[in-house]
Amino acid sequence: MAFPVHRMRRLRATESLRSLVRETHLAPSQFVLPLFVCTGDGVRREIGAMPGNYQLSIDELVKECAEAVSLGIGGVILFGIPESKDEQASGAYAAGGIVQRAVAAIKRETPKLVVITDVCNCEYTSHGHCGKVVDGDVDNDATLEWLAASAVSHARAGADIVAPSDMMDGRVAAIRRALDQNGFPNTPILSYAAKFASVFYGPFREAAESAPQFGDRRSYQMDPANAREAMREIELDLEEGADMVMIKPAMPYLDLIRMARDRFDVPLAAYQVSGEFSMIAAAARNGWLDRERAMLESLTSIRRAGAGVILTYFAKDAARLL
Ligand code: PBG
């Protein structure tokens, strides 16, 4: 009895009809733009594998943030490229560190823009690992002190949200405790709860100059094969006090975004990472894909899967189209 009574094409006939029955909508206010901040003045250095993305000195970063505000973008997330790196990741938690100074400058110029800071050590360690290396491996508990100190220094500089991305166990609890003890009980934590050891971070490591100098990150980032473990990571981070959680990368993990959306009633973010961006950018440059449509379709899929917040290098371009 279905056909010819039911004809799905009826409601697809015009853009007005399609728009009327559209289930999923994108809004610039739900995008977070990742930005890379470096030392110097007037620096705007394009990242080879991420066309249209730059390492920016603070003066240029502030301009980029003003543009983000004018486009209605929900927030920015900052990654720092320090002048020098060491075994102790001291640049990560220094009061005068690059991210700390950048946050203060942004908050001065565009106080309403939500500034999220990535809390991690890999951009600041000489070996490129996300924590303190002891006997060739990252020492979990020793690393927690660096992360807590970084989060507090970011909050002190004015960060609206801190976002640990290191994948150490117990970091959310350690950061929550440190924030509370230091007078920042109202600073939320966005935990990169389910972060996978993904090949798609490749271009980012060029951008942030953070590739590990030996080994890889598989002893702390997750195995891409594991879904149940991802739910457990999220559950534990929520127990430790995370206010929001993230799945990363996004498009290869849409099933997990949906699974998390159905299970946990907290704001859910997904990170469309550098490699996801670069694939589309490269195909578009070759004339193999329509850039705008690929961008919007990929973002729509992430939204449809259940992510309320999307971290994306397309934030500005997508906002312009919406
Ligand atoms: C830091 C960090 C990484 C990304 C975000 N935070 C790199 C990594 O874990 O190697 C990747 C983001 C991207 O690829 O766009 N730990």
Side-chain angles (χ1 to χ4, degrees), residues 1-117:
M1 185 49 192
F3 178 82
V5 172
H6 296 295
R7 289 180 182 271
M8 297 305 287
R9 292 182 57 190
R10 286 184 197 120
L11 290 172
R12 294 177 199 150
T14 65
E15 176 50 27
S16 317
L17 282 168
R18 291 192 292 273
S19 159
L20 180 71
V21 298
R22 189 158 294 138
E23 299 176 33
T24 305
H25 297 272
L26 292 171
S29 63
Q30 295 180 307
F31 296 149
V32 172
L33 174 67
L35 294 172
F36 301 96
V37 57
C38 62
T39 56
D41 206 46
V43 181
R44 204 178 173 80
R45 203 178 298 126
E46 192 164 30
I47 298 151
M50 300 175 69
N53 290 270
Y54 303 83
Q55 294 182 342
L56 303 166
S57 52
I58 292 176
D59 54 323
E60 291 291 324
L61 178 79
V62 164
K63 291 182 206 163
E64 196 80 5
C65 289
E67 197 186 352
V69 170
S70 71
L71 289 166
I73 289 171
V76 296
I77 182 163
L78 301 184
F79 298 94
I81 304 145
E83 192 103 282
S84 63
K85 304 174 188 248
D86 58 31
E87 297 268 303
Q88 265 54 253
S90 33
Y93 41 84
I98 183 69
V99 163
Q100 290 79 356
R101 282 187 285 131
V103 172
I106 297 170
K107 282 295 168 189
R108 216 159 31 236
E109 299 297 320
T110 46
K112 282 198 184 141
L113 177 66
V114 173
V115 177
I116 307 173
T117 54

Side-chain angles (χ1 to χ4, degrees), residues 155-178:
R156 198 165 276 139
D160 295 291
I161 301 177
V162 294
S165 70
D166 52 283
M167 289 302 278
M168 297 302 120
D169 291 317
R171 81 280 174 72
V172 174
I175 289 172
R176 184 70 273 155
R177 198 175 320 118

Side-chain angles (χ1 to χ4, degrees), residues 139-321:
D139 184 306
N140 192 88
D141 299 10
T143 301
L144 298 182
E145 287 168 40
W146 296 356
L147 296 167
S150 298
V152 169
S153 70
H154 294 171
R156 198 165 276 139
D160 295 291
I161 301 177
V162 294
S165 70
D166 52 283
M167 289 302 278
M168 297 302 120
D169 291 317
R171 81 280 174 72
V172 174
I175 289 172
R176 184 70 273 155
R177 198 175 320 118
L179 287 171
D180 291 356
Q181 283 171 354
N182 285 277
F184 301 102
N186 296 319
T187 301
I189 299 174
L190 161 58
S191 156
Y192 286 67
K195 174 171 174 179
F196 291 86
S198 172
V199 71
F200 295 106
Y201 306 151
F204 172 96
R205 292 180 187 170
E206 177 200 329
E209 301 173 7
S210 66
Q213 300 303 301
F214 64 89
D216 54 42
R217 303 209 202 290
R218 283 179 234 207
S219 80
Y220 40 106
Q221 297 180 350
M222 286 188 58
D223 182 337
N226 293 358
R228 284 190 294 267
E229 186 188 346
M231 296 307 112
R232 192 157 146 72
E233 280 283 4
I234 294 173
E235 196 176 295
L236 290 171
D237 281 5
L238 290 174
E239 277 171 21
E240 289 179 30
D243 300 278
M244 308 168 62
V245 292
M246 189 199 299
I247 308 260
K248 173 185 175 191
M251 235 169 42
Y253 299 86
L254 293 179
D255 55 332
L256 304 187
I257 296 175
R258 170 47 54 194
M259 214 182 274
R261 179 66 293 156
D262 290 343
R263 282 191 200 204
F264 304 105
D265 289 324
V266 292
L268 178 64
Y271 198 146
Q272 182 180 50
V273 300
S274 56
E276 298 179 70
F277 167 86
S278 298
M279 283 194 293
I280 292 174
R285 284 204 160 183
N286 273 307
W288 296 341
L289 280 179
D290 179 280
R291 189 177 194 276
E292 291 186 356
R293 290 187 51 204
M295 166 175 89
L296 291 180
E297 187 174 329
S298 66
L299 292 169
T300 300
S301 74
I302 296 164
R303 181 92 192 81
R304 192 195 60 236
V309 175
I310 306 177
L311 291 81
T312 173
Y313 300 94
F314 287 124
K316 287 199 302 174
D317 289 346
R320 276 191 205 100
L321 291 173

